Structures are given as C-alpha cells and as structure tokens.
Amino acid sequence: MSSKIDELKADVSELNQLLASATRQRVKDAVSLEIRKLQTEISRLQEQTGSADGYKTSQTTIPSTNRCYEVKLNNYAWDQSDKFVKIFVTLKNVHTLPADSVFTTFTANSMELHMNGLENRNYTLLIKNLLETIDTSKSSWKVKTDMVVVSLAKVNTGNTWSHLTSSEKKAKEPKPTPKPSNEGDPSSGLIDLMKQMYEDGDDDMKRTIAKAWTESRSTGGMPSF
C-alpha cells in the first residue's frame, strides 16, 4: 500500500511541474482536476493504512487558474513591399508572453493572430478576404517590444495592393446612381432610386427613407422628404 501511495505522490509532483509550465487554460484546468483526484486518493489510502507521514493536500500548491477573457482586436497598421504585406499590431507587454502563446493561422486569403494569456486576456485579430492570395508557407510573424509584426507573403510578387482586403476595396469604390426610368410606370424608377439611396446611405438617411416609405403606405401616396 505504501508503494502505491509513493507512486501517487510522484504523479502529483510531476503533474505540478506540468501545471507550472502550462499556458493553455483548458490544459491547466484538466491538470488541476487530475491533481485533486490523486490527492483525494492519497488521503483515502492513508486513512486506510493509518499512515502518519503527514501528507496533506495543502502541501501541494496549485497555481492560480484564473479564466482568461476573450478580446477581439480591430486596430492595426499595414505596409507592403514587393514580396510581403506587413501587419503591425501594437499590444503592451506582448513580448513578455511565452513563445508558444503568440501564433498565427494562415489561409490563402485570411490570417488570424492569437496572443494568449496576457494579463488574463486572450487577444485575437482576424482579417478575412485579403485582397490577393498569400503564400501560407512563406508567411510568418515576429514578436517585438509591445508589438507583433505579421508578414503575409505575396503569391503575385511585385503587385501593389490598393487595399488590405477586398471588402475595403469594394466599400470605397464609387457606385453609380441609377436614374429614374421614363418607360412604363413612372413611379418605378423613383422606387429603384430610393432603394439604392437606402442601401448606400448612412443610418440617418436610412431612417429618413424608412419613415417616408411608411408614411406613404399609410396615405396611399408617394414618399416625401
């Protein structure tokens, strides 16, 4: 019985070493749970054998396993060369994190940067719909003082990106304003124009159009502004 208790104690000691080096919250929780199970088993066996070695669960110090908060980032800067598009993410003390707590996942048209465990927060920056395809095998990241630099390798080297994402490019492209049609129903062209204005307008414009449309339906007339 004593040999089994010694084995369990050795397991607890090794698990504590693993817990001290763990960085992932799920791993910490799992290891902590296993430690508590083993400590309970040790106490039970000692009660059965009347062991007087004084082993108590309080002898094993379990590091804090505070839950981390998830933080989505959207602030960054970017620049480019002939071969790379570089994204600069500023985050105070990010350089103090363990190397495996900062990593990036690349696809052909997206990147996702993770910076985990910084002051009980997991930071994530996701950029989708990149303007052009990137070479994931040549893309990389580097941690500097208070900053992470992500290098996206261009597949079409030498091409200059006008925008970082295709969504940004589309949003800034001028949209033609449709003209009311003189054929058929004279009101159909105005309705099409209002729909286009609603889609392109800001929140105030959308509220104004929606209000006018509602009033026109109640009175049976055309919207007025």
Side-chain angles (χ1 to χ4, degrees):
M1 185 71 73
S2 176
S3 176
K4 184 175 182 179
I5 292 176
D6 291 340
E7 285 294 322
L8 292 174
K9 289 181 180 179
D11 290 343
V12 170
S13 177
E14 189 165 327
L15 284 171
N16 272 312
Q17 295 177 15
L18 176 61
L19 184 59
S21 62
T23 59
R24 303 288 294 176
Q25 188 62 42
R26 184 174 297 179
V27 174
K28 290 182 179 181
D29 292 342
V31 174
S32 297
L33 178 61
E34 187 63 25
I35 289 174
R36 289 193 291 270
K37 288 181 180 179
L38 293 179
Q39 289 171 337
T40 300
E41 179 66 11
I42 291 171
S43 298
R44 185 183 67 80
L45 292 176
Q46 287 178 334
E47 289 177 0
Q48 290 179 356
T49 60
S51 174
D53 62 1
Y55 182 88
K56 298 180 181 179
T57 58
S58 60
Q59 288 180 329
T60 303
T61 302
I62 301 176
S64 173
T65 56
N66 293 332
R67 186 175 299 277
C68 289
Y69 297 96
E70 301 296 327
V71 181
K72 303 297 183 182
L73 297 176
N74 52 27
N75 292 327
Y76 58 86
W78 71 284
D79 199 357
Q80 63 182 308
S81 63
D82 287 342
K83 295 183 178 180
F84 292 94
V85 172
K86 293 191 176 182
I87 299 172
F88 305 90
V89 182
T90 301
L91 187 61
K92 187 176 181 181
N93 294 328
V94 68
H95 57 282
T96 65
L97 289 173
D100 57 357
S101 293
V102 180
F103 59 94
T104 304
T105 302
F106 300 106
T107 70
N109 62 355
S110 72
M111 61 132 288
E112 188 170 6
L113 170 64
H114 297 269
M115 297 163 285
N116 294 338
L118 181 60
E119 298 176 354
N120 292 329
R121 289 176 172 81
N122 293 334
Y123 293 89
T124 303
L125 172 65
L126 173 61
I127 301 178
K128 300 186 295 183
N129 302 318
L130 294 169
L131 185 65
E132 295 188 17
T133 303
I134 63 172
D135 186 339
T136 59
S137 65
K138 296 180 180 179
S139 298
S140 62
W141 67 94
K142 185 175 183 180
V143 180
K144 297 186 176 182
T145 303
D146 296 333
M147 178 181 290
V148 178
V149 181
V150 181
S151 298
L152 307 178
K154 295 179 178 179
V155 170
N156 298 319
T157 58
N159 280 13
T160 299
W161 292 21
S162 59
H163 299 80
L164 183 59
T165 67
S166 57
S167 301
E168 292 176 356
K169 181 179 179 180
K170 184 177 180 180
K172 294 183 179 180
E173 288 179 344
K175 297 180 180 180
T177 302
K179 297 180 180 180
S181 174
N182 294 325
E183 299 179 359
D185 185 355
S187 65
S188 62
L190 179 58
I191 293 174
D192 291 340
L193 178 60
M194 288 179 59
K195 288 181 179 179
Q196 187 66 48
M197 291 173 62
Y198 184 86
E199 292 177 359
D200 297 341
D202 56 18
D203 290 341
D204 290 337
M205 175 62 74
K206 289 180 179 180
R207 282 193 292 268
T208 301
I209 294 175
K211 180 180 178 182
W213 186 262
T214 302
E215 292 175 350
S216 69
R217 295 189 65 181
S218 64
T219 59
M222 291 296 296
S224 61
F225 300 91

